[in-house]
Amino acid sequence: MIMVRHIENGTVIDHIEAGRALQVLRIIGGPNDSTVVVAMNVPSTKYRRKDILKMENVYVDEKKLDLISIIAPKATINLIKDGKVVEKRRVELPPEVTGILKCLNPTCITNKEREPVTSKFKVERNPLRLICEYCNKEFEASTLLKELSL
């Protein structure tokens, strides 16, 4: 049994696919001065193995939740206030991701300095991939996530 103290205020992200907690933490931006607990390869009756993140005094914004849903589509987000879960929800894949990922196609208009165009990707499921709205190049989510422009 793993013993980790409860947090009073913050966010717990549960049901992260095993081995992906550090990628999720990278999206969130690291611990700053907050306490962060990363539990990896925890036994799970539902998924066999999972990762868990507990972040004291950290709340995740919607843009970052969109990215987390791409890395960990089965994750659940628990918001904690005064030691109690005040909101629990599953992440959902958004239909598109705007302004937070960079297109890897060097000739895409979003990569031209003189063109003030914000990147936009359509999210396709099964298999999970992202398609640039401007140049129509398809990318695996993991490839784009390595180049985060947060």
Side-chain angles (χ1 to χ4, degrees):
M1 176 180 251
I2 296 174
M3 298 298 288
V4 177
R5 76 173 182 87
H6 296 281
I7 61 174
E8 283 300 308
N9 296 292
T11 304
V12 175
I13 304 177
D14 196 359
H15 301 108
I16 301 169
E17 186 177 321
R20 296 197 172 172
L22 296 178
Q23 288 177 303
V24 172
L25 187 58
R26 181 172 171 234
I27 287 170
I28 294 166
N32 299 328
D33 62 350
S34 300
T35 301
V36 174
V37 174
V38 179
M40 298 179 77
N41 291 312
V42 176
S44 167
T45 54
K46 197 171 186 177
Y47 300 114
R48 201 171 70 80
R49 295 258 176 225
K50 66 179 180 179
D51 291 355
I52 304 167
L53 281 176
K54 285 187 171 195
M55 300 165 292
E56 189 86 48
N57 299 316
V58 173
Y59 297 96
V60 184
D61 66 40
E62 290 299 318
K63 276 190 169 188
K64 290 181 181 180
L65 284 177
D66 286 348
L67 288 175
I68 291 168
S69 72
I70 292 168
I71 291 175
K74 296 174 185 168
T76 54
I77 309 296
N78 300 290
L79 301 180
I80 314 295
K81 294 205 178 178
D82 299 321
K84 300 200 185 306
V85 176
V86 295
E87 183 182 344
K88 181 174 187 162
R89 64 180 170 150
R90 295 186 69 80
V91 295
E92 294 179 22
L93 279 172
E96 64 182 38
V97 178
T98 303
I100 47 181
L101 294 172
K102 182 178 191 245
C103 184
L104 298 179
N105 175 4
T107 61
C108 181
I109 193 167
T110 60
N111 291 316
K112 305 295 181 198
E113 277 187 41
R114 290 189 235 170
E115 298 291 338
V117 179
T118 302
S119 66
K120 184 189 284 187
F121 292 89
K122 185 171 139 188
V123 177
E124 292 279 326
R125 300 166 162 63
N126 299 328
L128 181 59
R129 61 193 173 167
L130 301 172
I131 303 165
C132 178
E133 289 283 326
Y134 297 98
C135 69
N136 290 318
K137 290 275 188 178
E138 293 184 15
F139 301 95
E140 287 185 22
S142 58
T143 303
L144 283 174
L145 290 168
K146 290 177 187 172
E147 303 296 326
L148 285 178
S149 59
L150 295 175

